[in-house]
Amino acid sequence: MELPTPRPVPDQGIKDKHRKLWALGDYGAVAREVIPSLGPILVNEAGIGPGDYVLDVAAGTGNAAIPAVATGASAVALDLTPELIELGKLNAPQGGEELQWVVGDAEDIPFESGTFDAVISCVGVMFAPNHGQAAAELARVTREGGTVALLNWTPEGFIGEMFKIMREYQMPAPPASPGPPMWGHEDYVASLMDGLLEGLVSRREVLTVKRFAEPDHFREFFKLNYGPAVGVYRGLGQDEERSAALDRELSGLAERYARSTEDGMEMDWEYLLLRGSALGS
């Protein structure tokens, strides 16, 4: 496939829009009930252990930061959306000072260069609008030789397809630019990290999702809880015809991926695991 070129995205209130978008619904329910295993997978891939100082970028409710601390590391969970930070604090184990929660921007990380032994992001930094700037910040705050490890949905997988569908229903239509799932394309991320990381390795894996009984169950759960989906439906307002069409497409997507089980269905959602070492400044 021909790779799109990342380019700066004008602010024009986009940060406020992102904060509000991810505060919609209940992302904590998605992290807790649908993708809880992804954080530990990323922590293991990054080789995080006792004594490491870790930054989880676009941390959401701490899906990767909390398991990082469980290894004996100290961590900072950084996210643009205060509501997610507050939810994460409620869900985190009590009584420890090993985990710090910070409201901050993946494109302007509020730490000095070379601060962290490992910088990670679990389906988080992929949603920063300025891909090149976010990539540069991930590498900047990692010490020379330290690890940057990412877990992102692929453009060809279930979530990539879901975003492609939702994009067609966004009001107003978004500007043409590389979408978040491009962070799940090996060559695209390699181009972002060129000159920033060395020894880049990646592999594609799947998360088997067993949370939903049938396709409409998936659709209603995401329609209620997943900020980007909530935002698209709200943008459609009273357009019942387009809302119903989006309902059909999302249920149809789940039906295409579904395998029947004794409890209902399961789906494989593809993601990319990627790891490299920071070159330093």
Side-chain angles (χ1 to χ4, degrees):
M1 68 183 293
E2 184 177 350
L3 298 179
T5 301
R7 66 178 189 275
V9 178
D11 189 352
Q12 300 176 346
I14 197 169
K15 300 297 180 181
D16 286 338
K17 291 180 181 177
H18 272 236
R19 289 187 187 97
K20 292 174 182 177
L21 180 71
W22 288 100
L24 296 174
D26 182 3
Y27 184 75
V30 179
R32 225 173 27 249
E33 301 177 28
V34 184
I35 61 168
S37 63
L38 293 186
I41 288 170
L42 179 59
V43 168
N44 183 67
E45 179 69 15
I48 292 168
D52 286 333
Y53 190 31
V54 179
L55 176 65
D56 182 7
V57 177
T61 56
N63 213 30
I66 292 171
V69 168
T71 70
S74 299
V76 175
L78 177 89
D79 200 273
L80 188 66
T81 303
E83 290 87 346
L84 297 186
I85 291 288
E86 293 305 313
L87 278 174
K89 289 179 181 178
L90 291 174
N91 293 333
Q94 300 298 309
E97 297 181 356
E98 298 84 3
L99 179 55
Q100 180 184 5
W101 299 87
V102 175
V103 176
D105 187 351
E107 297 174 9
D108 187 17
I109 296 173
F111 289 94
E112 297 294 326
S113 298
T115 296
F116 297 93
D117 299 304
V119 174
I120 60 177
S121 185
C122 183
V123 297
V125 74
M126 63 185 291
F127 294 102
N130 189 334
H131 295 184
Q133 179 63 23
E137 283 292 274
L138 294 175
R140 180 186 67 80
V141 297
T142 310
R143 66 167 173 80
E144 185 175 355
T147 298
V148 175
L150 309 175
L151 190 158
N152 295 314
W153 302 118
T154 66
E156 301 87 356
F158 181 89
I159 297 295
E161 287 202 52
M162 184 182 76
F163 270 91
K164 185 177 180 181
I165 289 169
M166 293 195 304
R167 190 180 182 94
E168 297 299 317
Y169 289 86
Q170 284 183 258
M171 300 291 286
S177 63
M182 285 306 299
W183 278 84
H185 191 288
E186 298 89 334
D187 292 343
Y188 181 76
V189 183
S191 70
L192 290 177
M193 296 299 181
D194 186 33
L196 301 173
L197 303 182
E198 63 181 356
L200 207 60
V201 295
S202 63
R203 68 180 187 277
R204 294 192 178 206
E205 301 283 356
V206 296
L207 171 70
T208 300
V209 175
K210 302 179 180 180
R211 170 64 175 77
F212 308 108
E214 43 88 25
D216 287 354
H217 184 202
F218 153 77
R219 182 198 71 212
E220 290 304 309
F221 182 90
F222 265 58
K223 188 175 177 178
L224 179 66
N225 294 301
Y226 191 60
V230 178
V232 171
Y233 275 100
R234 288 193 182 182
L236 293 175
Q238 301 301 312
D239 192 335
E240 295 182 4
E241 183 175 339
R242 282 179 62 77
S243 292
L246 179 53
D247 279 349
R248 289 191 295 272
E249 290 212 51
L250 291 181
S251 291
L253 174 66
E255 187 171 0
R256 283 196 285 113
Y257 275 78
R259 295 189 301 270
S260 295
T261 67
E262 290 182 0
D263 299 322
M265 71 174 196
E266 63 183 21
M267 298 178 281
D268 287 341
W269 296 2
E270 186 182 63
Y271 60 86
L272 177 73
L273 268 174
L274 183 141
R275 170 175 46 83
S277 299
L279 288 170
S281 55

